[in-house]
Amino acid sequence: MKIVLLGYMASGKSSIGKKIAKSMAMNFIDLDDYIIEHEKMSIADIFKNKGEIYFRLIEHQYLKKILSRSDDFILSLGGGTPCYAKNMEEVNKGDTISVYLNGSIPTMVKRLIKKKAKRPLIASLNDDQIPEFIAKHLFERRFFYEQAKLTVKIDDKTKSEVAIALKKLLN
């Protein structure tokens, strides 16, 4: 079984993916961590030193490499991954189960303001600028996110509750 989690930043892709992987005795892969490991530099440094076009190219190549594996795994994508290089077509090929962790704008704002310093995309924004930034991003990305085979609403749920809801969908 190959399960791919996608959604906006702070939707819980990595933390929920790790929980489910542990409970189902599956490997967990975070695409950003995989890229960092193989490129030997942080995502921010890749963007700074080699540019976004280079990043999106290698992101696509590493995604295809992971998806071609024969073992079972849970993969969490970067928030922007579904939106580039026909990545959703790659993700949805075959029997891969893609899952959109769907959070409303207020939920995402609440989560991201708490973790703003750790999020380079929004770290320089004032708190009052974040809702519009998120709304614009979600509007642009929704088309890609909604191509997932399954959707789990994350509003007003703990990570454990989302993991339980997702496991029920998978059974």
Side-chain angles (χ1 to χ4, degrees), residues 44-55:
D45 284 344
I46 295 170
F47 267 78
K48 191 172 96 180
N49 299 324
K50 298 190 174 188
E52 184 176 5
I53 292 170
Y54 174 82
F55 174 77

Side-chain angles (χ1 to χ4, degrees), residues 3-19:
I3 301 164
V4 179
L5 302 180
L6 58 112
Y8 198 60
M9 60 178 153
S11 61
K13 300 176 297 286
S14 295
S15 52
I16 291 163
K18 286 175 188 168
K19 279 183 182 295

Side-chain angles (χ1 to χ4, degrees), residues 47-118:
F47 267 78
K48 191 172 96 180
N49 299 324
K50 298 190 174 188
E52 184 176 5
I53 292 170
Y54 174 82
F55 174 77
R56 295 300 176 191
L57 178 69
I58 60 164
E59 177 184 55
H60 179 71
Q61 291 169 346
Y62 287 129
L63 174 65
K64 284 176 66 170
K65 184 177 180 179
I66 294 166
L67 291 172
S68 70
R69 291 169 49 156
S70 59
D71 61 321
D72 292 344
F73 59 79
I74 295 178
L75 171 66
S76 73
L77 302 182
T81 306
C83 311
Y84 296 93
K86 297 187 177 180
N87 286 336
M88 283 307 296
E89 282 183 29
E90 290 296 327
V91 166
N92 282 329
K93 278 183 184 172
D95 58 357
T96 302
I97 302 167
S98 54
V99 183
Y100 172 26
L101 299 180
N102 181 353
S104 67
I105 293 167
T107 294
M108 302 321 300
V109 168
K110 190 167 66 177
R111 289 179 176 202
L112 283 166
I113 284 177
K114 286 183 202 168
K115 299 177 181 177
K116 191 169 93 166
K118 295 180 183 176

Side-chain angles (χ1 to χ4, degrees), residues 17-61:
K18 286 175 188 168
K19 279 183 182 295
I20 295 171
K22 187 176 181 184
S23 71
M24 295 175 75
M26 293 172 70
N27 288 325
F28 173 76
I29 306 162
D30 181 292
L31 182 59
D32 283 349
D33 291 345
Y34 188 90
I35 292 169
I36 290 164
E37 182 183 325
H38 285 78
E39 292 293 309
K40 310 273 187 269
M41 70 174 82
S42 71
I43 302 294
D45 284 344
I46 295 170
F47 267 78
K48 191 172 96 180
N49 299 324
K50 298 190 174 188
E52 184 176 5
I53 292 170
Y54 174 82
F55 174 77
R56 295 300 176 191
L57 178 69
I58 60 164
E59 177 184 55
H60 179 71
Q61 291 169 346

